Amino acid sequence: MAPCFCSLNPLPSSSTSISQFISDQPYLSILETKCSTIKDLQIIHAQIIKTGLIKDTIAASRLLSFAATSPAADISYAFKLFNQTQNPNLFTWNTIIRGFSRSSNPRMAISLFIDMLIHSSVDPERLTYPSVFKAYAELGLAGNGAQLHGRILKLGLQFDVYIRNSIVHMYANCGYFGEAIQLFGDGEDMDVVAWNTMILSLAKFGNIGNARALFDEMPHRNSVSWNNMISGYVRTGKWVEALDLFRIMQTEKMKPSEFILVSLLNASANLGALNQGEWIHDYIIKNKVELNVIMITSLINMYCKCGSIERACQVFESSPIKGLSSWNSMIMGLAIHGHGNEAIELFSKLESSIFNPDSVTFIGVLMACSHSRLVEKAKFYFSLMTERYKIEPSIKHYGCMIDVLGRSGLLEEAKIVILSMPMKPDGVIWGSLLSSCRIHGDVKMGEWASRNLVDLGEGESCGHVLLSNVYASGGEFEMAIRERMLMKEKEIEKIPGCSLIEVNGEVHEFVSSGRLHPKVDEIHNLLKNLTLLLHDVKSFNL
């Protein structure tokens, strides 16, 4: 029989301090120091019920606090505890509202707040409101939250730092920048949290220039400020700017957080900046940054996109922990680089691991089949996905199947797949089929695909160019010229191609026919000299 540590009639909490009361009760002390999971909490909860301690407000509130707001939170269990609490006090109300505001059901936080206003004898106070504003922010209901803002003004709480920050966050997170800026003002009376909120939200909605202007004006920056700005650049595709800002960060002796390092790895990956990515990897090793699943996946992704598949494999094989995202990145990397059999072999190892493949995994393995023209294997894995793993194929999965069939010359089969799709084909699918028609010289199929691509109202330039190439590959040069002339008549311009190259750690971007690079004249002169040199060598050999 388990020993009973508490009397059936515990000392009322009002007669002693909370900390002293907790330390005097062994089960509460265990809850504070050793409880780490909901299962642990349930055991302690049962003992507290047996001892009668559950009737004490402090004991009940500590149980609720763990269930609602700890890292191992279970909001459903917390709500049951709340409903079993007789006459919940302010702390209890605040705890359950805060728990729901952080959960996947923030609407419940608002409902509880309204219930508190109408049915409870306890009135909300300054610590109650930030959680409610957070719930409005998560739901995108800043218009409704403005009514609560009015209540704050009536109560005279508008200068409370926590409340004011939560209101700024609500408006900014919902894209109500007029209201957010009006409240934020020039930022003179705002703390770093409010500044960071504005920068993050502006970047989130694509106002990256305004975000940077605000960032440059900040009187004090912390690691979160740098992370918000760098990750904002990465999310909006401004990878060069992200790396440039990181260099400024280094000059200011700021130590990057793991979140910043992940953003920088993504920027390096998208730029193909291998040297920069390797430097970040070395930094992670030298500074003993924790290699969690997100970091490992980012490293694998960076090396794959930068063309160093060997280093990606090394990171994958040597990693002490791997998440499904790590497996998916490695399979995708092998597939893109033409290592189809290796990608399929890795997929087999994944099936023997603790993870089950998901929809992203099958995009990778189908892509591997496509790049290696493994038609039968692609059909097998498509069936495996739907039959064994019960994964509904997305348009990307269908796109992979059409690509593998098209690359292998099975254009009629590809057409059947397109016609049987449960969703409308997009421009990627029609473009893939057109490319296959060009490779195999199927003009009739190419015309059909081009008409459908143009009918989508997007990628019209691509449709005409690809069809022109199909005509040329089929020997119908007059029709190819006609397509190009048709583009001129419609005043459709081909989107210029661009390329990126890293030289001595610096990324250079080149646009087709562009002359904006600062050393464009030197580059053109060098190319002319190389052309003349090659011509001389060829003449000498003849």
Side-chain angles (χ1 to χ4, degrees):
M1 182 176 178
C4 180
F5 294 108
C6 306
S7 65
L8 290 175
N9 297 301
L11 192 67
S13 58
S14 58
S15 65
T16 185
S17 70
I18 293 176
S19 58
Q20 184 62 47
F21 178 74
I22 291 172
S23 63
D24 288 345
Q25 304 295 336
Y27 286 121
L28 289 184
S29 182
I30 292 170
L31 173 63
E32 295 291 319
T33 59
K34 295 183 179 180
C35 185
S36 59
T37 66
I38 290 296
K39 188 174 181 180
D40 293 340
L41 181 70
Q42 289 171 334
I43 295 170
I44 296 169
H45 185 193
Q47 294 300 323
I48 287 177
I49 291 173
K50 286 181 181 179
T51 61
L53 188 61
I54 192 65
K55 295 178 182 178
D56 185 87
T57 304
I58 294 176
S61 67
R62 301 320 295 172
L63 289 169
L64 176 64
S65 180
F66 184 93
T69 61
S70 74
D74 183 336
I75 196 64
S76 297
Y77 191 79
F79 192 50
K80 290 177 183 177
L81 286 169
F82 175 77
N83 285 331
Q84 293 168 5
T85 303
Q86 296 180 358
N87 301 318
N89 60 14
L90 180 61
F91 178 85
T92 306
W93 278 104
N94 285 351
T95 300
I96 193 65
I97 290 172
R98 184 166 66 253
F100 271 111
S101 74
R102 298 175 179 178
S103 74
S104 58
N105 184 18
R107 194 176 295 275
M108 191 64 185
I110 299 170
S111 297
L112 283 164
F113 173 71
I114 295 171
D115 190 39
M116 182 184 185
L117 287 174
I118 297 173
H119 302 295
S120 173
S121 60
V122 179
D123 290 327
E125 54 88 64
R126 52 182 292 273
L127 293 180
T128 311
Y129 295 105
S131 297
V132 186
F133 282 118
K134 177 177 173 57
Y136 279 121
E138 293 298 316
L139 292 166
L141 298 175
N144 296 35
Q147 298 177 37
L148 186 59
H149 184 189
R151 178 184 174 88
I152 295 298
L153 294 173
K154 288 180 181 178
L155 293 172
L157 295 173
Q158 66 269 29
F159 299 110
D160 182 277
V161 173
Y162 297 107
I163 294 176
R164 188 170 57 178
N165 284 349
S166 65
I167 299 173
V168 170
H169 171 70
M170 177 191 69
Y171 285 132
N173 189 67
C174 297
Y176 284 55
F177 289 111
E179 290 81 353
I181 291 170
Q182 185 178 1
L183 191 60
F184 184 80
D186 58 7
E188 185 178 348
D189 297 326
M190 292 291 180
D191 62 7
V192 70
V193 175
W195 282 85
N196 288 341
T197 295
M198 289 296 296
I199 291 167
L200 178 64
S201 299
L202 285 165
K204 171 187 170 183
F205 283 91
N207 299 322
I208 198 69
N210 292 334
R212 179 59 188 270
L214 209 59
F215 177 84
D216 290 337
E217 291 175 12
M218 284 187 76
H220 304 288
R221 303 187 190 108
N222 60 14
S223 180
V224 176
S225 315
W226 290 94
N227 177 62
N228 287 350
M229 196 63 242
I230 290 173
S231 62
Y233 273 136
V234 172
R235 281 198 305 272
T236 53
K238 295 185 177 295
W239 305 301
V240 173
E241 289 85 347
L243 294 176
D244 287 343
L245 186 58
F246 175 60
R247 294 186 184 98
I248 296 172
M249 181 181 178
Q250 288 179 286
T251 63
E252 297 193 11
K253 308 298 182 184
M254 281 290 298
K255 186 178 180 180
S257 67
E258 64 178 82
F259 303 106
I260 292 175
L261 293 171
V262 167
S263 292
L264 293 169
L265 285 170
N266 290 336
S268 301
N270 284 288
L271 287 169
L274 180 59
N275 290 345
Q276 183 69 62
E278 287 177 329
W279 186 93
I280 297 167
H281 191 186
D282 289 341
Y283 179 93
I284 291 168
I285 294 170
K286 288 177 183 176
N287 290 273
K288 298 180 181 178
V289 178
E290 181 186 359
L291 282 174
N292 56 29
V293 170
I294 296 174
M295 190 74 75
I296 290 165
T297 303
S298 297
L299 283 166
I300 292 168
N301 182 56
M302 182 274 294
Y303 279 122
C304 286
K305 287 191 174 181
C306 290
S308 183
I309 197 70
E310 296 81 7
R311 289 295 302 274
C313 289
Q314 289 172 11
V315 171
F316 179 81
E317 295 296 338
S318 62
S319 297
I321 54 171
K322 300 181 184 74
L324 180 58
S325 59
S326 309
W327 287 87
N328 288 347
S329 288
M330 195 67 248
I331 290 171
M332 193 77 73
L334 288 166
I336 290 171
H337 287 278
H339 301 283
N341 291 324
E342 290 88 340
I344 291 170
E345 183 180 344
L346 191 60
F347 175 83
S348 298
K349 291 181 180 178
L350 170 62
E351 286 190 295
S352 303
S353 73
I354 61 172
F355 300 106
N356 281 328
D358 63 3
S359 61
V360 177
T361 316
F362 279 100
I363 290 174
V365 76
L366 288 172
M367 192 178 292
C369 296
S370 176
H371 282 251
S372 299
R373 300 188 183 184
L374 303 172
V375 178
E376 293 306 315
K377 282 189 177 292
K379 292 178 180 178
F380 166 76
Y381 287 119
F382 195 87
S383 298
L384 184 73
M385 174 180 68
T386 55
E387 293 173 12
R388 181 192 295 182
Y389 293 103
K390 309 301 180 184
I391 297 172
E392 193 72 26
S394 70
I395 196 165
K396 291 183 178 180
H397 297 108
Y398 281 107
C400 290
M401 285 302 300
I402 291 158
D403 192 49
V404 69
L405 292 169
R407 284 173 185 255
S408 302
L410 303 173
L411 297 174
E412 287 297 330
E413 281 193 51
K415 183 177 181 179
I416 291 170
V417 172
I418 291 174
L419 294 174
S420 66
M421 285 170 54
M423 70 283 292
K424 187 177 180 180
D426 62 5
V428 175
I429 285 178
W430 293 120
S432 173
L433 184 62
L434 267 167
S435 295
S436 296
C437 292
R438 178 185 60 79
I439 294 169
H440 299 286
D442 192 328
V443 173
K444 186 176 179 181
M445 185 78 74
E447 289 175 334
W448 177 68
S450 178
R451 284 196 303 272
N452 281 283
L453 179 57
V454 172
D455 286 346
L456 286 177
E458 57 184 57
E460 191 171 2
S461 167
C462 179
H464 285 294
V465 170
L466 286 173
L467 182 58
S468 174
N469 293 338
V470 170
Y471 283 134
S473 66
E476 298 185 21
F477 298 108
E478 289 185 7
M479 296 295 288
I481 294 171
R482 194 193 71 171
E483 279 302 309
R484 299 282 180 168
M485 295 300 294
L486 189 60
M487 286 180 66
K488 286 188 176 181
E489 289 175 14
K490 292 184 176 181
E491 296 182 348
I492 300 171
E493 293 187 3
K494 182 179 181 294
I495 299 171
C498 68
S499 60
L500 299 165
I501 186 170
E502 183 185 26
V503 180
N504 297 326
E506 185 178 358
V507 177
H508 300 265
E509 182 178 15
F510 296 93
V511 178
S512 178
S513 302
R515 298 190 62 85
L516 294 178
H517 193 277
K519 295 187 177 181
V520 65
D521 292 330
E522 292 179 45
I523 294 168
H524 278 280
N525 288 332
L526 180 60
L527 286 171
K528 287 178 183 178
N529 291 333
L530 285 172
T531 302
L532 291 171
L533 181 61
L534 288 170
H535 179 74
D536 291 342
V537 170
K538 184 178 180 181
S539 300
F540 178 78
N541 290 334
L542 290 174

